[in-house]
Amino acid sequence: MTQSPAVRTPVRSGPVRIGERAARTLVAELARRNDPKAALLVGATAGSAALAAAIDALLPGDTLTVVPAESADAAELREHVTAQGRWVADRVRVVDSLAEADAAEVVIAAEPLAGTAEQARATVDGLAKYLTDGSVLSVSAPVFRTGGAAAELDRQGVLHGVRTDLVLRNSPPVRVHHLRFTPASPALAARLAPAHRPSSVPLTRGMHIDSNGVAAAGIALGLAAAAKVARPKSKLWLLPALAAAPVAAFFRDPERDVPEDPSAVVAAADGQVLSVQRLHDERFGDGEWLRVAVFLSVLDVHVNRAPVAGKVVDYFVADGGFVNAMKPDAEHNVAAYTVLDTAHGTVVVAQRTGLIARRIVQRAPIGALLAKGERFGLIRFGSRTDVYLPADAAEPMVGPGDRVVGGATVIARWR
């Protein structure tokens, strides 16, 4: 019997299509899980970028169930999968309708949602039924459409979001929402690889630039062009033009080799260790803390990384001043605190402003799981990053004056 389109796949797609970069962002939660898992891809076609990205993300112990799009033919999709070779064919199963699919750890809508808010809500609710506890649903919607599906996904993100990624290099741009409807165990974070984030724009294999740097360089070049048009005989345009490269370089975001040793705690930022001390801070609970404070000069990489694997359970900003980050009074500067629940207890990362730094970016909402070494934010210009560890559970491996590399240098070890 032929299934109705609404039963066959609940994804209602408009003219927007998912390109390679958006597809990689859609399957990010599948790609970062290192344990054997089951995934469900809904609304796929034989030539879709989402299907290609999902297949590319599979590991030997994984399985992928594929539900064809309303316009696709299941037999043709099976032939496409078989043509990928035995390895893929053994792990990918094509079903005729969503009703034949089983629950999965990762569920992905292959095409962007369109239509009314009610239709989007029905789609999200329908797909959420196929999630196992603590699992993630990844869906997308066009950025520049107000109301309807986009508004509904924004609302879902506020209520349940793991995170939201903006993909500008898609036609048109889309926002990818990773939604979790039931709590995930902090222990799962230890089995994750750092998530792919479109905010880290690749320049070469080993060097990326944060999207803030792309925007800043674009503004500088725009000012240069405007100055050249306004005053063609003046050399004034050279100032913003020459500033574009160093401004972009400030936001450089290199790839890092994160130590696999489970006992290792890595630096949250590049820079020089200012202090390693034991102290009490009632904001984070009773007991003594080991705090490693690192100063970031304007020449250091300012992207912040998770020192350990854990679940974000709290985030707050404390008001204060803007003292030079190398001075002791910087303790009272404006700071953002990300609190992680880990297998070894509570860990806190403090992103502190400095004399020049006035802007903190934090991209890990409460409920998100962070892998060790995963990018989660940055501080613009000179600043300081502190890592708080349970003092009775961690042994420091660095001292004042040492240089550390974010995501790579071991600053402490769990006892």
Side-chain angles (χ1 to χ4, degrees):
M1 179 181 296
T2 301
Q3 298 284 353
S4 67
V7 175
R8 184 175 181 180
T9 169
V11 177
R12 298 172 175 84
S13 175
V16 182
R17 288 294 179 265
I18 292 295
E20 181 179 350
R21 184 172 294 274
R24 186 183 176 195
T25 306
L26 262 177
V27 306
E29 290 299 316
L30 170 61
R32 70 191 303 231
R33 290 193 58 160
N34 295 320
D35 54 332
K37 55 199 170 292
L40 173 61
L41 180 67
V42 181
T45 61
S48 69
L51 176 59
I55 291 175
D56 187 58
L58 292 176
L59 295 176
D62 297 344
T63 60
L64 173 65
T65 301
V66 179
V67 180
E70 295 174 7
S71 60
D73 180 75
E76 179 183 355
L77 197 52
R78 290 189 184 95
E79 291 179 4
H80 175 79
V81 169
T82 303
Q84 306 300 308
R86 179 68 179 273
W87 193 93
V88 172
D90 287 346
R91 291 163 177 80
V92 179
R93 178 173 69 106
V94 178
V95 296
D96 292 319
S97 70
L98 184 60
E100 300 176 41
D102 298 322
E105 282 83 10
V106 181
V107 177
I108 304 162
E111 297 181 328
L113 301 188
T116 66
E118 290 74 17
Q119 290 173 324
R121 187 179 303 115
T123 295
V124 170
D125 291 345
L127 293 176
K129 296 176 181 178
Y130 289 84
L131 290 170
T132 58
D133 288 344
S135 299
V136 176
L137 167 63
S138 295
V139 292
S140 63
V143 172
F144 300 118
R145 292 183 182 176
T146 58
E152 174 61 20
L153 286 181
D154 287 339
R155 187 189 71 81
Q156 292 281 355
V158 170
L159 294 175
H160 308 289
V162 177
R163 71 176 188 279
T164 298
D165 292 321
L166 175 63
V167 184
L168 293 174
R169 293 178 61 181
N170 195 73
S171 183
V174 295
R175 198 181 300 277
V176 177
H177 299 258
H178 305 280
L179 308 172
R180 181 177 284 124
F181 297 89
T182 54
S185 168
L188 176 59
R191 305 199 297 272
L192 299 178
H196 162 71
R197 295 181 183 271
S199 58
S200 185
V201 181
L203 298 178
T204 65
R205 178 180 291 272
M207 179 58 70
H208 294 209
I209 182 172
D210 190 86
S211 56
N212 279 256
V214 176
I219 291 171
L221 293 175
L223 291 174
K228 182 68 172 176
V229 171
R231 303 181 64 180
K233 295 182 179 181
S234 173
K235 300 294 185 182
L236 183 63
W237 66 272
L238 287 172
L239 292 178
L242 294 176
V247 167
F250 172 81
F251 293 97
R252 66 194 184 279
D253 181 14
E255 288 290 295
R256 296 287 164 75
D257 292 326
V258 182
E260 296 183 0
D261 183 354
S263 69
V265 179
V266 299
D270 292 25
Q272 180 180 348
V273 177
L274 289 178
S275 63
V276 179
Q277 60 186 130
R278 298 169 73 101
L279 49 79
H280 291 271
D281 196 320
E282 296 179 354
R283 293 175 300 177
F284 313 133
D286 298 332
E288 195 173 26
W289 299 90
L290 173 68
R291 186 180 69 183
V292 180
V294 173
F295 170 72
L296 294 73
S297 76
V298 293
L299 300 179
D300 287 315
V301 172
H302 274 58
V303 172
N304 296 137
R305 297 170 181 265
V308 295
K311 178 180 179 179
V312 179
V313 293
D314 197 9
Y315 171 74
F316 61 93
V317 177
D319 197 9
F322 296 97
V323 177
N324 187 323
M326 291 197 70
K327 295 184 177 181
D329 287 345
E331 172 80 17
H332 306 294
N333 281 2
V334 173
Y337 296 89
T338 300
V339 183
L340 300 173
D341 185 9
T342 79
H344 299 275
T346 300
V347 173
V348 182
V349 182
Q351 298 169 281
R352 301 189 189 279
T353 61
L355 180 64
I356 302 175
R358 300 296 172 102
R359 174 67 170 158
I360 296 172
V361 178
Q362 202 270 18
R363 298 181 174 124
I366 294 175
L369 298 180
L370 293 177
K372 181 165 64 178
E374 181 172 343
R375 305 168 175 90
F376 75 92
L378 60 91
I379 315 174
R380 294 178 183 170
F381 307 107
S383 53
R384 170 177 151 182
T385 301
D386 299 351
V387 175
Y388 294 76
L389 305 167
D392 59 352
E395 179 179 356
M397 304 300 293
V398 294
D402 289 347
R403 291 285 305 177
V404 296
V405 177
T409 302
V410 178
I411 61 170
R413 291 191 183 277
W414 297 117
R415 291 193 173 98

